[in-house]
């Protein structure tokens, strides 16, 4: 069984400041890792994912995350945040298998609040 | 290209009633998964359908059942509703053998 821990339930950050949202996972097998973002009263949107290859993955809106196998972490970072980044961020893990579509296991989320 | 759609957007039921939620997957996607997101929590996996069969199931009671139609759309049924079933129900779709799931906007269910 897998599990995901997002230690920070809320993170307030000043606009244009950097931010890091922490994610640690536990699994006995190889995994795929995902970050999803949820804006108020909306569903989940995929932000970025790690499947294989380069351990540093980037999104189109300036976020990046680095897969660290030894520390079982997949922290999300952005060098300069904007008001529009205010949202709930969820880290998720699935088992990597020959066939995809494994269920996602989510963390409890981190609410990112940008302070003007 | 339409994304994942869900209906209805909101629903209010009373304890003991039954509810049916609907999901249309993204074009080209044949696998549908359902998740329950309680207030302030991360989504919890309910089950997954592929080729009209339940392929995986999470830790939910038999009151939760589903169906997938030949056009890949899906329904989630919940019987004997409890107050604790109040949540946002999310549908996600993906092509078979692809790792990434794409989510719909969800159906918010309130049980009174």
């Amino acid at each position: 069984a897998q599990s995901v821990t997002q230690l920070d339930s809320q993170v307030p950050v000043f606009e244009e400041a950097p931010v890091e949202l922490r994610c640690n996972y536990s699994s006995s097998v190889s995994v795929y890792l995902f970050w999803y973002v949820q804006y108020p009263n909306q569903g989940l949107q995929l932000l970025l994912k790690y499947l294989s290859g380069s351990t540093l993955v980037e999104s189109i809106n300036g976020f990046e995350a680095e897969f660290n196998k030894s520390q079982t972490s997949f922290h999300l970072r952005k060098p300069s945040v904007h008001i529009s980044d205010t949202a709930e961020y969820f880290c998720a893990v699935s088992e990597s298998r020959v066939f995809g579509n494994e269920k996602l296991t989510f963390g409890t989320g981190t609410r990112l609040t940008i302070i003007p | 290209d339409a994304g994942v759609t869900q209906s209805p957007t909101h629903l209010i039921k009373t304890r003991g009633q039954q509810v049916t939620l609907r999901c249309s997957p993204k074009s080209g996607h044949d696998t549908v998964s359902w998740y329950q997101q309680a207030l302030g929590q991360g989504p919890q996996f309910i089950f997954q359908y592929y080729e009209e069969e339940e392929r995986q199931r999470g830790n939910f009671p038999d009151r939760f059942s589903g169906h997938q139609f030949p056009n890949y759309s899906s329904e989630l049924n919940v019987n004997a509703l409890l107050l604790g079933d109040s949540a946002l129900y999310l549908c996600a779709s993906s092509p078979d053998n692809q790792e990434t799931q794409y989510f719909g906007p969800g159906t918010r269910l309130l049980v009174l």
Side-chain angles (χ1 to χ4, degrees):
Chain A
Q2 312 130 40
S3 66
V4 176
T5 301
Q6 292 182 250
L7 288 172
D8 305 306
S9 60
Q10 297 187 59
V11 174
V13 181
F14 285 103
E15 194 174 13
E16 298 184 5
V19 69
E20 178 181 82
L21 306 184
R22 296 180 293 169
C23 172
N24 288 89
Y25 70 92
S26 174
S27 177
S28 58
V29 299
S30 296
V31 298
Y32 298 134
L33 293 156
F34 305 83
W35 276 99
Y36 282 87
V37 58
Q38 187 174 37
Y39 298 102
N41 300 312
Q42 294 189 25
L44 300 175
Q45 297 178 26
L46 179 68
L47 191 58
L48 45 75
K49 61 185 177 183
Y50 170 79
L51 304 179
S52 64
S54 173
T55 57
L56 183 65
V57 291
E58 299 176 353
S59 72
I60 58 174
N61 56 354
F63 283 95
E64 65 178 31
E66 186 160 18
F67 170 54
N68 188 319
K69 188 174 182 179
S70 62
Q71 297 187 5
T72 59
S73 67
F74 191 55
H75 302 329
L76 181 69
R77 302 182 183 93
K78 189 171 185 179
S80 176
V81 296
H82 303 284
I83 290 288
S84 59
D85 294 325
T86 295
E88 188 93 19
Y89 291 80
F90 291 95
C91 181
V93 64
S94 70
E95 289 185 8
S96 64
R97 291 189 179 183
V98 174
F99 299 102
N101 307 119
E102 288 300 316
K103 66 176 183 179
L104 291 168
T105 299
F106 285 87
T108 51
T110 297
R111 183 177 301 276
L112 176 62
T113 302
I114 309 304
I115 305 166
Chain B
D1 176 26
V4 180
T5 60
Q6 293 185 241
S7 63
T9 55
H10 295 81
L11 206 51
I12 299 176
K13 293 286 188 178
T14 56
R15 281 178 297 173
Q17 285 189 311
Q18 178 264 344
V19 69
T20 298
L21 311 181
R22 296 176 177 81
C23 171
S24 291
K26 191 175 170 66
S27 178
H29 291 189
D30 54 9
T31 303
V32 174
S33 302
W34 287 91
Y35 293 81
Q36 180 196 65
Q37 185 180 16
L39 197 62
Q41 300 295 317
Q44 299 284 322
F45 175 75
I46 303 175
F47 43 52
Q48 182 183 89
Y49 276 84
Y50 172 68
E51 291 190 340
E52 303 179 50
E53 297 284 335
E54 183 182 290
R55 182 158 69 174
Q56 298 181 69
R57 189 177 182 91
N59 188 26
F60 279 80
D62 292 344
R63 297 187 297 109
F64 290 76
S65 63
H67 187 77
Q68 186 178 35
F69 299 93
N71 67 352
Y72 308 126
S73 66
S74 177
E75 288 182 350
L76 163 65
N77 301 291
V78 187
N79 294 321
L81 284 166
L82 304 173
L83 296 179
D85 295 330
S86 295
L88 179 68
Y89 288 85
L90 295 164
C91 170
S93 74
S94 56
D96 189 37
N97 296 337
Q98 296 294 315
E99 307 81 3
T100 305
Q101 297 183 27
Y102 296 87
F103 285 80
T107 293
R108 191 165 297 280
L109 171 65
L110 178 61
V111 182
L112 301 176

